[in-house]
Amino acid sequence: MFETAELGQTVGKEEYEREVETLRLRLLDVQTRLKEANFPVIVLISGVELAGKSETVQKLLEWLDPRFVETHGFRRATAAERAFPPFHRFWRRLPARGRIGVFFGNWYTEPLVARAYKEISDADLVAAMTQVNTFERELAAGGALVLKFWFHLSKKAQKKRIGKLLKDPDESYRVSDFEREYSKRYDAFLKVSERALSLTTTAEAPWVLVEGDDKRYRSLLVGRTLVERLEKALSAVASKRSSAKASAVVVETPPARETLGRLVLDGVDLSQRLDDDEYERELDELESRFGRLCRKLERQGKSAVLAFEGWDAAGKGGVIRRVVGAIDPRLYSVIPVAAPSDEEKAHHYLWRFWRHVPGPGRISLFDRTWYGRVLVERVEGFANRDEWSRAYAEINDFERQLTEHGIAVEKFWLHVDRDEQERRFRERENTAWKRFKITEEDWRNRSKWSEYEVAVHDMVEKTSTVEAPWNLVPCNDKKFGRVFVLRALCRRLERHLG
């Protein structure tokens, strides 16, 4: 695989200076156009040690407008970073739309080094690369342009470069202990790298091999590739926008509720109730039990994600208050999810949720969640069919990463019927201190009740898994719903804690 990066490619000084002048202007031009194009650019810099990666990154930053470029360096995960799922640190640093993110060291670093040092098996490496492909496919599907550069240097050339650097007192610092160890394991790293690249060269994110021997050649190759791929992507976006303006907007007609037969919410028994005495007795017992479990969760260094969705006025706020009422406030965070901010809109829709993944011993409670993509965004037309259709798999992958890391994930849909919702809406309108809870939008959403029922049915069917199940909570009686949730949470944490 790497023979094509050992051909001895060089670029003369005059040719280099002549081409750089034009290249810099083109790069600045595409950067300006990128600001309005509404997609991010992710540049991965990987490869053999001392093959010119850092020098090339510095050259790119010299050529580009640095105000719109973010550079992130990653080595192997620290102890603090290992407390979260592996991709957490990368999700948090993804660039916003209109910006370029350069990842010097990235999601390939950890599995490649671990395999070269025989800390993981080949099967583990294949599994890691499969997850990488899924991640990069999600980024590309969300609009990101992903460019991957692999810098190569032959074993002989690397040894020569190390010797040259060590002889120069001003340059010897560049040869770290890692570079020395890497050179001793060159063959092992080469074999692992070839395996990884063969598994992850995809249509969405192909690898570009960069011969690292000549600094002028490698800088021009990376600069040319970046500008050409960006120009192509920008042209595609402009063409797509032009086509969209020329064609009529097609509004999808949802399937008629009566043609779909029985839906999952039809099976929820909303007649279940608790009298006041039963409620107080069970609430006291369950809150005490749940509080003890949360302390045990803290002691064991485990964590949990609790996701709450449901109809407007179904009682999410009341349920969450009873849940957190049993927990030390230092152990949890409640994340209320509203319409995305401008910063959140500029990122992949899952970005804002990855930022709130809990650390060891903590619980994150989401009041509305990532399921907005397949609920409100689907029904209200904020996401097109392609976007919300692929979101089921993206969400399953997100939750799988959490559960594989040992985070308990429990999801609740709070269900009421239309008559009970209307009664609660009226009550809010007629109660001064509840009036802020009701808006014209709440009333408008009622007209799409059947469309939301279908969306909930699809959501449960496609995303209720053994490790991250949906709980359909009968909430026509608020007291019953609160006890139902607490009981389910206690059972879940007891299984999780062993």
Side-chain angles (χ1 to χ4, degrees), residues 213-291:
D213 225 1
D214 183 74
K215 64 182 180 182
R216 289 191 286 264
Y217 171 79
R218 71 191 179 221
S219 297
L220 282 181
L221 176 58
V222 172
R224 280 194 216 112
T225 304
L226 176 58
V227 78
E228 287 167 6
R229 291 284 303 277
L230 253 171
E231 285 174 341
K232 185 177 179 181
L234 289 165
S235 295
V237 168
S239 177
K240 187 175 179 181
R241 284 179 177 172
S242 178
S243 299
K245 288 179 182 178
S247 61
V249 177
V250 178
V251 178
E252 293 183 29
T253 304
R257 169 67 175 86
E258 55 273 14
T259 67
L260 296 174
R262 191 169 173 81
L263 299 181
V264 67
L265 292 179
D266 296 335
V268 180
D269 182 2
L270 292 172
S271 66
Q272 300 176 87
R273 281 172 165 68
L274 287 176
D275 61 37
D276 289 345
D277 289 340
E278 272 185 299
Y279 172 66
E280 293 297 338
R281 184 171 61 253
E282 290 220 43
L283 186 66
D284 285 346
E285 179 188 334
L286 288 168
E287 284 187 330
S288 176
R289 179 178 162 195
F290 184 62

Coordinates of all heavy atoms in Angstrom, one line a residue, residues 213-291:
D213 N 9.0 12.8 2.5 CA 10.5 13.0 2.4 C 10.8 14.5 2.1 O 11.8 15.1 2.6 CB 11.1 12.1 1.4 CG 12.4 11.5 1.9 OD1 12.7 11.8 3.1 OD2 13.0 10.7 1.2
D214 N 10.1 15.1 1.1 CA 10.4 16.4 0.6 C 9.3 17.4 1.2 O 8.1 17.3 0.9 CB 10.3 16.4 -0.9 CG 10.7 17.8 -1.4 OD1 11.9 18.2 -1.4 OD2 9.8 18.5 -1.9
K215 N 9.7 18.4 2.0 CA 8.8 19.3 2.6 C 8.0 20.1 1.6 O 6.8 20.4 1.9 CB 9.5 20.2 3.6 CG 10.5 21.1 3.0 CD 11.2 21.9 4.1 CE 12.2 22.9 3.6 NZ 12.9 23.7 4.7
R216 N 8.6 20.5 0.5 CA 7.8 21.3 -0.4 C 6.8 20.5 -1.1 O 5.6 20.9 -1.3 CB 8.8 21.9 -1.5 CG 9.7 23.1 -0.9 CD 10.4 23.8 -1.9 NE 11.5 23.0 -2.5 CZ 12.8 23.2 -2.1 NH1 13.1 24.0 -1.1 NH2 13.7 22.4 -2.6
Y217 N 7.1 19.2 -1.5 CA 6.2 18.4 -2.2 C 5.0 18.1 -1.3 O 3.8 18.2 -1.7 CB 6.9 17.0 -2.6 CG 5.9 16.0 -3.1 CD1 5.4 16.1 -4.3 CD2 5.4 15.0 -2.2 CE1 4.5 15.1 -4.8 CE2 4.5 14.1 -2.6 CZ 4.0 14.1 -3.9 OH 3.1 13.2 -4.4
R218 N 5.3 17.7 0.0 CA 4.1 17.3 0.9 C 3.2 18.5 1.2 O 2.0 18.4 1.3 CB 4.7 16.7 2.2 CG 5.4 17.6 3.1 CD 6.1 16.9 4.2 NE 6.7 17.8 5.1 CZ 8.0 17.7 5.6 NH1 8.7 16.6 5.3 NH2 8.5 18.6 6.4
S219 N 3.8 19.7 1.4 CA 3.0 20.9 1.6 C 2.1 21.2 0.5 O 0.9 21.5 0.6 CB 3.9 22.1 2.0 OG 4.6 21.9 3.1
L220 N 2.6 21.1 -0.8 CA 1.8 21.4 -1.9 C 0.7 20.4 -2.1 O -0.4 20.7 -2.5 CB 2.7 21.5 -3.2 CG 3.5 22.8 -3.4 CD1 4.3 22.7 -4.7 CD2 2.6 24.0 -3.5
L221 N 1.1 19.1 -1.9 CA 0.1 18.1 -2.1 C -1.1 18.3 -1.1 O -2.3 18.2 -1.6 CB 0.7 16.7 -1.8 CG -0.3 15.5 -1.9 CD1 -1.0 15.4 -3.3 CD2 0.5 14.2 -1.6
V222 N -0.8 18.5 0.1 CA -1.9 18.7 1.1 C -2.7 20.0 0.7 O -3.9 20.0 0.8 CB -1.3 18.8 2.5 CG1 -2.4 19.2 3.5 CG2 -0.7 17.5 2.9
G223 N -2.0 21.1 0.4 CA -2.7 22.3 0.1 C -3.6 22.2 -1.2 O -4.7 22.6 -1.2
R224 N -3.0 21.5 -2.2 CA -3.8 21.3 -3.4 C -5.0 20.5 -3.2 O -6.1 20.8 -3.6 CB -2.9 20.6 -4.5 CG -2.0 21.4 -5.2 CD -1.5 20.6 -6.5 NE -0.1 20.9 -6.7 CZ 0.9 20.1 -6.6 NH1 0.7 18.8 -6.1 NH2 2.2 20.4 -6.9
T225 N -4.8 19.4 -2.4 CA -6.0 18.5 -2.2 C -7.1 19.2 -1.4 O -8.2 19.0 -1.7 CB -5.5 17.2 -1.4 OG1 -4.4 16.6 -2.1 CG2 -6.6 16.3 -1.1
L226 N -6.7 19.9 -0.4 CA -7.6 20.7 0.4 C -8.4 21.7 -0.4 O -9.7 21.7 -0.4 CB -6.9 21.4 1.6 CG -7.8 22.3 2.5 CD1 -8.9 21.5 3.1 CD2 -6.9 23.0 3.5
V227 N -7.8 22.4 -1.3 CA -8.5 23.5 -2.0 C -9.3 22.8 -3.1 O -10.5 23.3 -3.4 CB -7.5 24.5 -2.6 CG1 -6.7 23.9 -3.9 CG2 -8.2 25.8 -3.0
E228 N -8.8 21.7 -3.7 CA -9.6 21.1 -4.8 C -10.9 20.4 -4.2 O -12.0 20.5 -4.8 CB -8.8 20.1 -5.5 CG -7.7 20.7 -6.4 CD -6.7 19.7 -6.9 OE1 -6.8 18.5 -6.6 OE2 -5.7 20.2 -7.6
R229 N -10.7 19.7 -3.1 CA -11.9 19.1 -2.5 C -12.9 20.1 -2.0 O -14.1 19.9 -2.1 CB -11.5 18.2 -1.3 CG -10.7 16.9 -1.7 CD -11.6 15.8 -2.3 NE -12.6 15.5 -1.4 CZ -12.5 14.6 -0.3 NH1 -11.3 14.0 -0.1 NH2 -13.5 14.3 0.4
L230 N -12.4 21.2 -1.5 CA -13.3 22.3 -1.0 C -14.0 22.9 -2.2 O -15.2 23.2 -2.1 CB -12.5 23.3 -0.2 CG -12.7 23.3 1.3 CD1 -11.7 24.2 2.0 CD2 -14.1 23.7 1.7
E231 N -13.3 23.2 -3.3 CA -13.9 23.8 -4.4 C -15.0 22.9 -5.0 O -16.1 23.4 -5.4 CB -12.9 24.1 -5.5 CG -12.0 25.3 -5.2 CD -10.9 25.5 -6.1 OE1 -10.5 24.5 -6.9 OE2 -10.3 26.6 -6.2
K232 N -14.7 21.6 -5.0 CA -15.7 20.7 -5.5 C -17.0 20.6 -4.6 O -18.1 20.6 -5.1 CB -15.1 19.3 -5.6 CG -16.0 18.2 -6.2 CD -15.3 16.9 -6.3 CE -16.2 15.8 -6.8 NZ -15.5 14.5 -6.9
A233 N -16.7 20.6 -3.3 CA -17.9 20.6 -2.3 C -18.7 21.9 -2.4 O -19.9 21.8 -2.3 CB -17.3 20.4 -0.9
L234 N -18.0 23.0 -2.5 CA -18.7 24.3 -2.6 C -19.6 24.3 -3.9 O -20.7 24.8 -3.9 CB -17.7 25.4 -2.6 CG -17.1 25.7 -1.2 CD1 -15.8 26.6 -1.4 CD2 -18.1 26.3 -0.3
S235 N -19.0 23.8 -5.0 CA -19.8 23.8 -6.3 C -21.0 22.9 -6.1 O -22.1 23.2 -6.6 CB -18.9 23.3 -7.4 OG -17.9 24.2 -7.6
A236 N -20.9 21.8 -5.4 CA -22.0 20.9 -5.2 C -23.1 21.5 -4.4 O -24.3 21.4 -4.7 CB -21.5 19.6 -4.6
V237 N -22.7 22.3 -3.4 CA -23.7 23.0 -2.5 C -24.4 24.0 -3.3 O -25.6 24.2 -3.3 CB -23.0 23.6 -1.3 CG1 -23.9 24.6 -0.6 CG2 -22.5 22.5 -0.3
A238 N -23.6 24.8 -4.2 CA -24.3 25.9 -5.0 C -25.2 25.3 -6.0 O -26.3 25.8 -6.2 CB -23.2 26.6 -5.7
S239 N -24.9 24.1 -6.6 CA -25.7 23.5 -7.5 C -27.0 23.0 -6.9 O -28.1 23.1 -7.4 CB -25.0 22.3 -8.2 OG -25.8 21.6 -9.1
K240 N -26.8 22.4 -5.7 CA -28.0 21.9 -4.9 C -29.0 23.0 -4.6 O -30.2 22.9 -4.7 CB -27.5 21.2 -3.7 CG -28.6 20.4 -2.9 CD -28.0 19.7 -1.7 CE -29.1 18.9 -0.9 NZ -28.5 18.2 0.2
R241 N -28.4 24.2 -4.1 CA -29.2 25.3 -3.8 C -30.0 25.8 -5.0 O -31.2 26.2 -4.9 CB -28.4 26.4 -3.2 CG -28.0 26.2 -1.8 CD -27.1 27.3 -1.2 NE -26.7 27.1 0.1 CZ -25.9 27.9 0.8 NH1 -25.3 28.9 0.2 NH2 -25.6 27.7 2.1
S242 N -29.3 25.9 -6.1 CA -30.0 26.3 -7.4 C -31.1 25.4 -7.8 O -32.2 25.9 -8.2 CB -28.9 26.4 -8.5 OG -29.5 26.8 -9.7
S243 N -30.9 24.1 -7.7 CA -31.9 23.1 -8.0 C -33.1 23.2 -7.1 O -34.3 23.1 -7.5 CB -31.4 21.7 -7.9 OG -30.3 21.5 -8.8
A244 N -32.8 23.5 -5.8 CA -33.9 23.6 -4.8 C -34.8 24.8 -5.1 O -36.0 24.8 -4.9 CB -33.3 23.7 -3.4
K245 N -34.1 25.9 -5.5 CA -34.9 27.1 -5.8 C -35.8 26.9 -7.1 O -36.9 27.5 -7.2 CB -34.0 28.3 -6.0 CG -33.3 28.8 -4.8 CD -32.4 30.0 -5.0 CE -31.7 30.5 -3.8 NZ -30.8 31.6 -4.1
A246 N -35.2 26.2 -8.0 CA -35.9 26.0 -9.3 C -37.1 25.0 -9.2 O -38.1 25.1 -9.9 CB -35.0 25.5 -10.3
S247 N -37.0 24.1 -8.3 CA -38.1 23.1 -8.1 C -39.1 23.5 -7.1 O -38.8 24.2 -6.1 CB -37.5 21.7 -7.8 OG -36.8 21.8 -6.6
A248 N -40.3 23.0 -7.2 CA -41.4 23.3 -6.2 C -41.1 22.5 -4.9 O -40.5 21.5 -4.9 CB -42.7 22.9 -6.8
V249 N -41.4 23.1 -3.8 CA -41.3 22.5 -2.5 C -42.3 21.4 -2.4 O -43.5 21.6 -2.6 CB -41.4 23.5 -1.4 CG1 -41.3 22.8 0.0 CG2 -40.3 24.6 -1.5
V250 N -41.8 20.2 -2.1 CA -42.8 19.0 -1.9 C -43.0 18.8 -0.5 O -42.1 18.6 0.3 CB -42.1 17.8 -2.5 CG1 -43.1 16.6 -2.3 CG2 -41.8 18.0 -4.0
V251 N -44.3 18.9 -0.1 CA -44.7 18.7 1.3 C -45.2 17.3 1.4 O -46.1 16.8 0.8 CB -45.8 19.7 1.7 CG1 -46.2 19.4 3.2 CG2 -45.3 21.1 1.6
E252 N -44.5 16.5 2.3 CA -44.9 15.1 2.5 C -46.2 15.0 3.2 O -46.5 15.6 4.2 CB -43.8 14.4 3.3 CG -42.5 14.3 2.6 CD -41.5 13.5 3.4 OE1 -41.9 12.6 4.2 OE2 -40.3 13.7 3.2
T253 N -47.0 14.1 2.7 CA -48.3 13.8 3.3 C -48.1 12.6 4.2 O -47.8 11.5 3.8 CB -49.4 13.5 2.2 OG1 -49.4 14.6 1.3 CG2 -50.7 13.2 2.9
P254 N -48.3 12.8 5.5 CA -48.1 11.6 6.4 C -49.2 10.6 6.2 O -50.3 10.9 5.7 CB -48.3 12.3 7.8 CG -49.1 13.5 7.6 CD -48.8 14.0 6.2
P255 N -48.9 9.3 6.5 CA -49.9 8.3 6.4 C -51.1 8.6 7.3 O -51.0 9.0 8.4 CB -49.2 7.0 6.8 CG -48.1 7.5 7.6 CD -47.7 8.8 7.1
A256 N -52.3 8.3 6.8 CA -53.5 8.5 7.6 C -53.5 7.6 8.8 O -53.2 6.4 8.7 CB -54.8 8.2 6.8
R257 N -53.8 8.1 10.0 CA -53.8 7.3 11.2 C -54.6 6.1 11.1 O -54.2 5.0 11.5 CB -54.3 8.2 12.4 CG -54.5 7.5 13.7 CD -53.2 7.0 14.3 NE -53.4 6.4 15.6 CZ -53.8 5.1 15.8 NH1 -54.0 4.3 14.8 NH2 -53.9 4.6 17.0
E258 N -55.8 6.2 10.5 CA -56.7 5.0 10.5 C -56.2 3.9 9.5 O -56.7 2.7 9.6 CB -58.1 5.5 10.0 CG -58.2 6.2 8.7 CD -58.0 7.7 8.8 OE1 -57.5 8.1 9.9 OE2 -58.3 8.4 7.9
T259 N -55.3 4.2 8.7 CA -54.7 3.1 7.8 C -53.6 2.3 8.4 O -53.2 1.3 7.8 CB -54.2 3.7 6.5 OG1 -53.0 4.5 6.8 CG2 -55.3 4.6 5.8
L260 N -53.2 2.7 9.6 CA -52.0 2.1 10.2 C -52.3 1.0 11.2 O -51.4 0.4 11.7 CB -51.1 3.2 10.8 CG -50.5 4.2 9.9 CD1 -49.8 5.3 10.6 CD2 -49.6 3.6 8.9
G261 N -53.6 0.8 11.5 CA -53.9 -0.2 12.5 C -53.5 0.2 13.9 O -53.4 1.4 14.2
R262 N -53.2 -0.7 14.7 CA -52.9 -0.5 16.1 C -51.5 0.0 16.3 O -50.6 -0.6 15.8 CB -53.2 -1.7 17.0 CG -53.2 -1.5 18.5 CD -53.7 -2.8 19.1 NE -53.6 -2.8 20.6 CZ -54.4 -2.1 21.4 NH1 -55.4 -1.5 20.9 NH2 -54.2 -2.2 22.7
L263 N -51.3 1.1 17.0 CA -50.0 1.7 17.3 C -49.6 1.4 18.7 O -50.4 1.0 19.6 CB -50.0 3.2 17.1 CG -50.3 3.6 15.7 CD1 -50.3 5.2 15.6 CD2 -49.4 3.0 14.6
V264 N -48.3 1.6 19.0 CA -47.7 1.2 20.3 C -48.4 1.9 21.5 O -48.6 1.3 22.6 CB -46.2 1.4 20.3 CG1 -45.8 2.8 20.2 CG2 -45.6 0.7 21.5
L265 N -48.8 3.2 21.3 CA -49.4 3.9 22.3 C -50.8 3.5 22.7 O -51.3 3.7 23.7 CB -49.4 5.4 22.0 CG -48.1 6.1 22.0 CD1 -48.2 7.6 21.6 CD2 -47.3 6.0 23.3
D266 N -51.4 2.7 21.7 CA -52.8 2.2 21.9 C -52.8 1.2 23.1 O -53.9 0.9 23.7 CB -53.4 1.6 20.7 CG -53.5 2.6 19.6 OD1 -53.7 3.8 19.9 OD2 -53.5 2.2 18.4
G267 N -51.6 0.6 23.3 CA -51.6 -0.5 24.3 C -51.3 0.0 25.7 O -51.2 -0.8 26.7
V268 N -51.2 1.3 25.9 CA -50.9 1.9 27.2 C -52.2 2.0 28.0 O -53.1 2.7 27.5 CB -50.2 3.2 27.1 CG1 -49.9 3.8 28.5 CG2 -48.9 3.1 26.3
D269 N -52.3 1.4 29.2 CA -53.5 1.5 30.0 C -53.5 2.8 30.8 O -52.8 2.9 31.8 CB -53.6 0.3 30.9 CG -54.8 0.2 31.8 OD1 -55.7 1.2 31.6 OD2 -54.9 -0.7 32.6
L270 N -54.3 3.8 30.3 CA -54.3 5.1 31.0 C -55.3 5.1 32.1 O -55.4 6.2 32.8 CB -54.7 6.1 29.9 CG -53.6 6.4 28.9 CD1 -54.1 7.3 27.8 CD2 -52.3 7.0 29.5
S271 N -56.0 4.0 32.4 CA -57.0 4.1 33.5 C -56.3 3.8 34.9 O -57.0 4.0 35.9 CB -58.0 3.0 33.3 OG -57.4 1.7 33.4
Q272 N -55.1 3.5 34.9 CA -54.4 3.2 36.2 C -54.2 4.4 37.0 O -53.8 5.5 36.6 CB -53.0 2.5 35.9 CG -53.1 1.2 35.1 CD -51.7 0.7 34.7 OE1 -51.2 -0.1 35.5 NE2 -51.2 1.1 33.5
R273 N -54.5 4.2 38.3 CA -54.5 5.4 39.3 C -54.0 4.9 40.6 O -54.0 3.8 41.0 CB -55.9 6.0 39.4 CG -56.2 6.9 38.2 CD -57.6 7.4 38.2 NE -57.8 8.5 37.3 CZ -57.7 8.4 35.9 NH1 -57.4 7.3 35.4 NH2 -57.8 9.5 35.2
L274 N -53.6 5.9 41.4 CA -53.2 5.7 42.8 C -54.0 6.7 43.7 O -54.1 7.9 43.3 CB -51.7 5.9 43.0 CG -50.7 4.9 42.5 CD1 -49.3 5.4 42.7 CD2 -50.9 3.5 43.2
D275 N -54.5 6.2 44.8 CA -55.1 7.2 45.7 C -54.0 7.9 46.5 O -52.9 7.5 46.5 CB -56.2 6.6 46.6 CG -55.6 5.5 47.6 OD1 -54.4 5.7 48.0 OD2 -56.2 4.5 47.8
D276 N -54.4 9.0 47.2 CA -53.4 9.8 47.9 C -52.5 9.0 48.9 O -51.3 9.2 49.0 CB -54.1 11.0 48.6 CG -54.6 12.0 47.6 OD1 -54.2 11.9 46.4 OD2 -55.4 12.8 48.0
D277 N -53.2 8.2 49.7 CA -52.4 7.4 50.7 C -51.4 6.5 50.0 O -50.2 6.4 50.5 CB -53.4 6.6 51.6 CG -54.2 7.5 52.5 OD1 -53.8 8.7 52.7 OD2 -55.3 7.1 53.0
E278 N -51.9 5.7 49.0 CA -51.0 4.8 48.3 C -49.8 5.6 47.7 O -48.6 5.2 47.8 CB -51.7 4.1 47.1 CG -52.4 2.8 47.5 CD -53.0 2.2 46.2 OE1 -53.8 2.8 45.6 OE2 -52.5 1.1 45.9
Y279 N -50.1 6.7 47.1 CA -49.1 7.5 46.4 C -48.0 8.0 47.4 O -46.8 7.8 47.2 CB -49.7 8.7 45.8 CG -48.8 9.8 45.2 CD1 -47.9 9.5 44.2 CD2 -48.7 11.1 45.8 CE1 -47.0 10.4 43.7 CE2 -47.8 12.0 45.3 CZ -47.0 11.7 44.2 OH -46.1 12.6 43.7
E280 N -48.4 8.5 48.5 CA -47.5 9.0 49.5 C -46.6 7.9 50.1 O -45.4 8.1 50.2 CB -48.2 9.8 50.7 CG -48.9 11.0 50.3 CD -47.9 12.1 49.8 OE1 -46.7 12.0 50.1 OE2 -48.4 13.0 49.0
R281 N -47.2 6.8 50.3 CA -46.5 5.6 50.9 C -45.5 5.1 49.9 O -44.3 4.9 50.2 CB -47.5 4.5 51.2 CG -46.8 3.3 51.9 CD -47.8 2.3 52.5 NE -48.7 1.8 51.4 CZ -50.0 2.1 51.3 NH1 -50.5 3.0 52.1 NH2 -50.7 1.6 50.3
E282 N -45.9 4.9 48.6 CA -45.0 4.4 47.6 C -43.9 5.4 47.2 O -42.7 5.1 47.0 CB -45.8 4.0 46.3 CG -46.6 2.8 46.5 CD -46.6 1.9 45.3 OE1 -45.5 1.7 44.7 OE2 -47.7 1.4 44.9
L283 N -44.3 6.7 47.2 CA -43.3 7.7 46.8 C -42.2 7.8 47.9 O -41.0 7.8 47.5 CB -44.0 9.1 46.7 CG -43.1 10.2 46.2 CD1 -42.7 10.0 44.8 CD2 -43.9 11.6 46.4
D284 N -42.6 7.8 49.1 CA -41.5 7.8 50.2 C -40.6 6.6 50.1 O -39.4 6.7 50.2 CB -42.2 7.8 51.6 CG -42.8 9.1 51.9 OD1 -42.5 10.1 51.2 OD2 -43.6 9.2 52.9
E285 N -41.2 5.4 49.9 CA -40.4 4.2 49.8 C -39.4 4.2 48.6 O -38.2 3.9 48.7 CB -41.3 3.0 49.8 CG -40.5 1.7 49.7 CD -41.5 0.5 49.4 OE1 -42.7 0.6 49.8 OE2 -41.0 -0.5 48.8
L286 N -40.0 4.6 47.4 CA -39.2 4.6 46.2 C -38.1 5.7 46.2 O -37.0 5.5 45.7 CB -40.1 4.7 45.0 CG -41.0 3.5 44.7 CD1 -42.0 3.9 43.7 CD2 -40.1 2.4 44.2
E287 N -38.4 6.9 46.7 CA -37.4 7.9 46.8 C -36.2 7.5 47.7 O -35.1 7.8 47.3 CB -38.0 9.2 47.2 CG -38.9 9.9 46.2 CD -39.3 11.3 46.6 OE1 -39.5 11.5 47.8 OE2 -39.5 12.1 45.7
S288 N -36.5 6.9 48.8 CA -35.5 6.4 49.7 C -34.6 5.3 49.0 O -33.4 5.4 49.0 CB -36.1 5.9 51.0 OG -35.1 5.3 51.8
R289 N -35.3 4.4 48.3 CA -34.6 3.3 47.6 C -33.7 3.9 46.5 O -32.6 3.5 46.3 CB -35.7 2.4 47.1 CG -35.2 1.2 46.3 CD -36.4 0.3 45.9 NE -36.1 -0.6 44.8 CZ -37.1 -1.2 44.2 NH1 -38.4 -0.9 44.5 NH2 -36.8 -2.0 43.2
F290 N -34.3 4.8 45.8 CA -33.6 5.4 44.6 C -32.4 6.3 45.1 O -31.3 6.2 44.5 CB -34.5 6.3 43.8 CG -33.9 6.9 42.6 CD1 -33.4 6.1 41.6 CD2 -33.8 8.3 42.4 CE1 -32.8 6.6 40.4 CE2 -33.2 8.8 41.3 CZ -32.7 8.0 40.3
G291 N -32.6 7.0 46.2 CA -31.5 7.8 46.8 C -30.3 6.9 47.2 O -29.1 7.3 47.0

